[in-house]
Amino acid sequence: MSVTVQSGPPDAKTRKYDRQLRLWAATGQAALEGARLLVIGATATSTSVLKNLVLPGIGHFTILDPNKTTPEDVGNNFFLEVDSIGKPKAVEATRLLSELNESVKSAAEIADIADILAKKPEYLANYTLVVVHNLPRKTVDKLAAYLWSDPTLPSLIVIKTAGFLAEFAIQCHEHTVIDSHSDEKVSLRIDNPFPALLEKSMSIDFESLDQTTHGHIPYLYILIQAAAKWRSQHNDTLPKTFAERKAFQRFVEDMKVKIDEENFDEASSQAFRIAPQPIPFDILKLFDDPGLNSLGSGSKPFFHLLSALKEYVLSQEEGKRSLPLSANLPDIKSDTKSYVEVQTIYKTQAREERDMFKKVLVQQLRQRFGNATGGEEELLQSVGITEGLIDDFVKNSHGLKVLRSTVYGEIDKHPNKLSAALEEKPREAAVHIAFAAFDALPEGTAPTIENLQEATKQLLGGNTEISEEVEHCLGEIARSPTADLPTTAGFVGGLVAQEAIKFITKQYIPQVEGTVVIDLIGSFTGIVP
């Protein structure tokens, strides 16, 4: 990502969103401000979700609700007031939420989603994301099926709450993430140093340095030189066993000239970096992703970039394959001069490898589309790729993600999958099964314990014995089948908004696969596969 150095004080917008810009940067904020959100139902939970999206500056939201405000609504929804009673819930909730951030555009639709699906379903295509809360299952299934029918239609988040229980799931065909903020340690190539790094590391005569300079040698140089000396003394092999690795750490520490040289302590703690650093398994799996099978002008830029990365990596000598080098270095115990020098070496090499990657990308696009698209820049733009996107992709190539869900409710059609989930995660699966049993009740059937138990047995198949965990959740559903408690709404609203932000900004990793369940009685959250 290209960086613009701003002179003078930050503008009002930067000051307003300063803290969140540190999390998802200007690119994430731009994505958030370009998003259009449709929320179906002006409930306490859905307005809590919106509160957490309006404050950081989502571009536009619409609340769709055909109902008028009742005294009960005012009692549990912070975004309805006494004066709202008798007025459309959508209009009142929209008005009060809009007061949180004047930059956010909003609209209220006094309509029923069932009517829209029947008469004007194309209306839904105007949005980036659709969020529903506590809609009847029959309506949810129709909505989910329609949105699933075309990959270009918006994704869907379905939320259910009942008293102190809740769950939500994201339905999307495909979600790609470049900047996942991965915890995966980026390879510094200490195990296989590039020529400039190797030359610099081996050129330092540790013994001739004064104590001050010796105490500021970057640990990368120390490890590269120590590994070379170790190889020369051990038949050109690196430490393999635990005992050998501990011996190598002592070998590094023995290179100190003073006992308190922190840079050598750091080198000892980072000694694992001399071992071959393989490309992350998740990245290698992406090289077989079905998104690479039939690339064309309609393919996402991500997959054109991923295809180029695959060729870039596989064209290297086996055993020495690596992703493009990242210029982002961790903090190093060193003086400023030495750190800047290391940084320059890495930035120069990273720029060269980035250019090599771009060359592979352009060659592939030429082979794919021919020369009809004009020059290099026009070719890249024709598939939605910018120089900044290439920079981001290369920098984050160790943490790429492709996420896909199934159509909403798919697991509920398979008793064996529900039973397997219950065996693997009994507490978590119990929450989901209780909600699924409630959904399975015929229209007009009271959600009594007996009726819910019968529905549960049908879901799990035959005469399955109902576990204690499921009984506990069925009891809460029977007690408060549609209760939208402010405490639950506040907690769930924060969780859902967080996942929505990840999804919209295409940063971090949203929980696309599986269903998130919440039990505020047992004080736990979890995932049902």
Side-chain angles (χ1 to χ4, degrees):
M1 179 173 60
S2 57
V3 177
T4 302
V5 178
Q6 179 177 322
S7 59
D11 57 26
K13 181 178 173 180
T14 302
R15 291 196 300 272
K16 179 179 181 179
Y17 296 131
D18 176 63
R19 290 189 177 183
Q20 66 202 48
L21 286 171
R22 302 177 194 212
L23 290 175
W24 52 70
T27 51
Q29 187 64 31
L32 193 64
E33 292 174 7
R36 291 175 56 83
L37 184 71
L38 174 63
V39 175
I40 301 173
T43 64
T45 297
S46 60
T47 54
S48 180
V49 173
L50 275 172
K51 176 201 72 173
N52 292 295
L53 293 171
V54 169
L55 287 170
I58 195 164
H60 172 97
F61 73 88
T62 296
I63 298 180
L64 189 150
D65 194 313
N67 301 308
K68 291 187 177 181
T69 308
T70 65
E72 291 77 15
D73 295 326
V74 174
N76 74 338
N77 193 330
F78 290 112
F79 292 96
L80 294 171
E81 53 192 12
V82 174
D83 289 343
S84 302
I85 295 174
K87 299 176 183 177
K89 285 171 67 174
V91 173
E92 290 298 290
T94 299
R95 174 177 63 83
L96 292 167
L97 281 162
S98 297
E99 293 177 1
L100 297 175
N101 192 338
E102 69 280 0
S103 302
V104 175
K105 296 178 181 179
S106 61
E109 289 282 351
I110 307 169
D112 193 318
I113 185 60
D115 292 336
I116 288 175
L117 286 170
K119 300 173 184 176
K120 196 174 60 172
E122 63 275 7
Y123 165 82
L124 298 169
N126 297 320
Y127 296 94
T128 308
L129 185 64
V130 178
V131 178
V132 303
H133 173 238
N134 276 7
L135 278 186
R137 180 59 180 263
K138 188 176 179 181
T139 306
V140 171
D141 286 344
K142 285 182 179 178
L143 175 63
Y146 175 73
L147 294 178
W148 191 256
S149 67
D150 185 344
T152 64
L153 289 171
S155 296
L156 173 68
I157 301 181
V158 179
I159 313 168
K160 298 177 187 173
T161 59
F164 291 108
L165 299 181
E167 71 170 19
F168 67 88
I170 299 176
Q171 172 186 290
C172 76
H173 278 276
E174 187 175 82
H175 182 69
T176 57
V177 184
I178 292 176
D179 191 359
S180 64
H181 298 261
S182 172
D183 292 331
E184 185 82 37
K185 289 188 180 295
V186 178
S187 173
L188 298 176
R189 303 275 182 84
I190 293 173
D191 59 311
N192 183 28
F194 48 91
L197 179 61
L198 180 63
E199 181 182 353
K200 176 61 185 178
S201 301
M202 299 307 294
S203 68
I204 301 173
D205 184 359
F206 287 12
E207 295 180 1
S208 67
L209 300 176
D210 60 71
Q211 288 188 352
T212 301
T213 306
H214 195 272
H216 290 101
I217 304 170
Y219 80 81
L220 301 92
Y221 299 158
I222 296 171
L223 286 177
I224 290 171
Q225 196 167 130
K229 290 180 179 178
W230 177 278
R231 276 198 182 100
S232 68
Q233 299 170 14
H234 294 83
N235 297 319
D236 200 31
T237 60
L238 288 171
K240 295 179 180 177
T241 66
F242 177 76
E244 288 175 343
R245 289 193 291 271
K246 297 300 284 186
F248 179 77
Q249 286 181 298
R250 291 192 296 272
F251 181 75
V252 170
E253 291 165 5
D254 289 343
M255 296 170 70
K256 293 180 179 180
V257 295
K258 292 193 302 180
I259 195 170
D260 61 347
E261 287 185 313
E262 293 183 343
N263 55 333
F264 282 85
D265 291 334
E266 185 176 44
S268 176
S269 69
Q270 296 290 320
F272 68 89
R273 291 186 180 274
I274 68 164
Q277 302 290 302
I279 294 172
F281 178 69
D282 286 349
I283 303 302
L284 293 176
K285 275 176 60 179
L286 286 181
F287 292 165
D288 295 321
D289 190 270
L292 298 178
N293 292 343
S294 54
L295 290 172
S297 57
S299 301
K300 292 180 179 179
F302 179 92
F303 290 107
H304 290 293
L305 291 162
L306 181 61
S307 176
L309 182 67
K310 178 180 179 179
E311 181 177 331
Y312 175 90
V313 169
L314 297 184
S315 64
Q316 299 172 34
E317 181 184 346
E318 192 166 356
K320 294 185 178 181
R321 289 171 176 166
S322 63
L323 297 170
L325 184 69
S326 172
N328 291 341
L329 290 179
D331 291 335
I332 294 173
K333 296 185 185 302
S334 179
D335 56 24
T336 302
K337 180 182 176 182
S338 298
Y339 185 81
V340 170
E341 183 181 45
V342 175
Q343 200 172 48
T344 301
I345 291 172
Y346 272 82
K347 281 185 175 180
T348 301
Q349 182 67 21
R351 196 177 302 115
E352 290 178 7
E353 295 189 17
R354 184 263 189 203
D355 291 343
M356 290 167 59
F357 169 81
K358 181 184 174 183
K359 184 178 179 181
V360 172
L361 172 64
V362 170
Q363 286 175 344
Q364 282 196 354
L365 294 176
R366 291 261 185 242
Q367 292 169 0
R368 211 165 284 145
F369 304 113
N371 296 316
T373 48
E376 191 174 278
E377 186 175 343
E378 290 83 358
L379 179 64
L380 293 170
Q381 287 179 352
S382 69
V383 290
I385 296 175
T386 63
E387 294 290 339
L389 183 59
I390 294 174
D391 291 341
D392 282 347
F393 189 88
V394 168
K395 182 176 70 175
N396 297 291
S397 59
H398 62 289
L400 306 173
K401 296 289 180 183
V402 178
L403 307 172
R404 297 181 178 93
S405 80
T406 57
V407 65
Y408 176 74
E410 180 66 20
I411 189 175
D412 300 334
K413 301 173 184 176
H414 302 280
N416 58 327
K417 291 183 180 179
L418 287 173
S419 298
L422 194 57
E423 186 174 339
E424 181 184 349
K425 295 184 173 182
R427 290 196 311 171
E428 293 85 348
V431 177
H432 174 73
I433 288 169
F435 276 111
F438 176 66
D439 284 342
L441 293 177
E443 191 173 343
T445 304
T448 62
I449 285 287
E450 293 75 17
N451 289 337
L452 290 169
Q453 288 174 337
E454 183 60 33
T456 300
K457 289 179 180 179
Q458 291 178 9
L459 280 170
L460 296 176
N463 299 316
T464 305
E465 185 176 343
I466 299 176
S467 67
E468 183 179 340
E469 291 89 353
V470 175
E471 287 281 8
H472 153 78
C473 295
L474 292 178
E476 181 65 4
I477 296 282
R479 184 183 72 84
S480 51
T482 56
D484 194 12
L485 303 181
T487 47
T488 307
F491 185 75
V492 174
L495 290 181
V496 173
Q498 176 177 272
E499 297 307 302
I501 288 171
K502 294 176 187 176
F503 192 84
I504 291 166
T505 61
K506 293 193 173 182
Q507 294 188 32
Y508 301 92
I509 305 172
Q511 189 58 51
V512 168
E513 299 166 347
T515 300
V516 179
V517 296
I518 301 106
D519 183 341
L520 297 183
I521 299 172
S523 299
F524 72 85
T525 62
I527 310 295
V528 178

